[in-house]
Amino acid sequence: MSSRDFRPAVLDLGDALLRPWGRTLDLPGGTVPALVAAAADPEIARWNPLRATGPAEAEAYLDRCVTGWAKGSAAAFAITDAVDGSLHGNVALRWTDQAEGVALIGYWLLPTARGRGLATRATDSVTTWGVETAGLRRIELWHAVGNTPSCRVAERSGYPYEGTLRASHRYDGDTYADEHLHARLATDPAPSATVRP
């Protein structure tokens, strides 16, 4: 493994833990059913690439996460409650240019976890972890132009808006949508110094 590989870790946010996705992750009621339920949420289904509409797809997702961790190419964290272990969401990094230190970050939250700043704190925590442990230099964050909550998370996490990527991604499998590009550099000030919660 190189110094730029992602290595499994548990990150503590106080009220939540960021734990590596995988077959050994034990969520209340089962990890596979939790993923299937998350994929059924209309907002997650609309804006995120989680394709786990049944047990086989959820297991394939977990296998991809395990492979990403094993190769050091991706770091997918389940956001779980610090007390009861229930699933709140997901935040993940993956290399887009490992040699140059450039990665992409994404996230989603279940409805019960929204509106508490959890996505912002998880995104900031994983960003800081990636910079400190894997030498991230630039982390990009893309979201559909219409996904206003994601835009707010990006800005509050210290990812300023850099531009619009036209006809960039298929969210519904048919039509290409424009996306906003946000990015954070390892040398940028901490979000608490630049934005208000």
Side-chain angles (χ1 to χ4, degrees):
M1 296 190 98
S2 81
S3 62
R4 282 213 160 145
D5 287 339
F6 297 125
R7 295 183 177 100
V10 175
L11 307 179
D12 190 343
L13 301 182
D15 59 340
L17 296 175
L18 309 182
R19 298 160 53 200
W21 280 109
R23 295 282 187 155
T24 59
L25 180 65
D26 186 22
L27 298 176
T31 302
V32 167
L35 271 171
V36 172
D41 174 70
E43 290 299 301
I44 293 173
R46 180 177 183 194
W47 301 120
N48 294 278
L50 179 63
R51 304 288 183 254
T53 55
E57 294 91 346
E59 289 173 359
Y61 175 82
L62 292 173
D63 289 342
R64 288 191 302 276
C65 292
V66 168
T67 299
W69 282 112
K71 291 182 175 180
S73 60
F77 292 91
I79 306 169
T80 62
D81 189 87
V83 176
D84 67 16
S86 61
L87 182 64
H88 288 321
N90 171 78
V91 61
L93 280 170
R94 70 174 170 83
W95 289 112
T96 55
D97 189 333
Q98 190 171 6
E100 293 295 326
V102 182
L104 180 68
I105 195 164
Y107 44 80
W108 51 260
L109 286 181
L110 292 170
T112 54
R114 295 175 190 153
R116 298 186 291 166
L118 188 54
T120 299
R121 291 184 294 124
T123 300
D124 178 48
S125 180
V126 170
T127 300
T128 301
W129 168 83
V131 168
E132 292 174 352
T133 65
L136 293 177
R137 180 186 64 80
R138 175 182 168 87
I139 310 93
E140 296 181 349
L141 189 160
W142 310 334
H143 66 80
V145 169
N147 190 347
T148 304
S150 194
C151 200
R152 285 193 298 266
V153 168
E155 291 171 352
R156 291 175 181 161
S157 303
Y159 283 77
Y161 170 76
E162 291 191 343
T164 299
L165 305 169
R166 296 178 300 140
S168 166
H169 184 73
R170 288 182 179 177
Y171 283 88
D172 60 11
D174 195 25
T175 306
Y176 282 98
D178 294 348
E179 292 184 297
H180 282 169
L181 167 64
H182 298 255
R184 184 166 153 185
L185 303 179
T187 56
D188 285 345
S192 59
T194 59
V195 297
R196 296 187 341 212

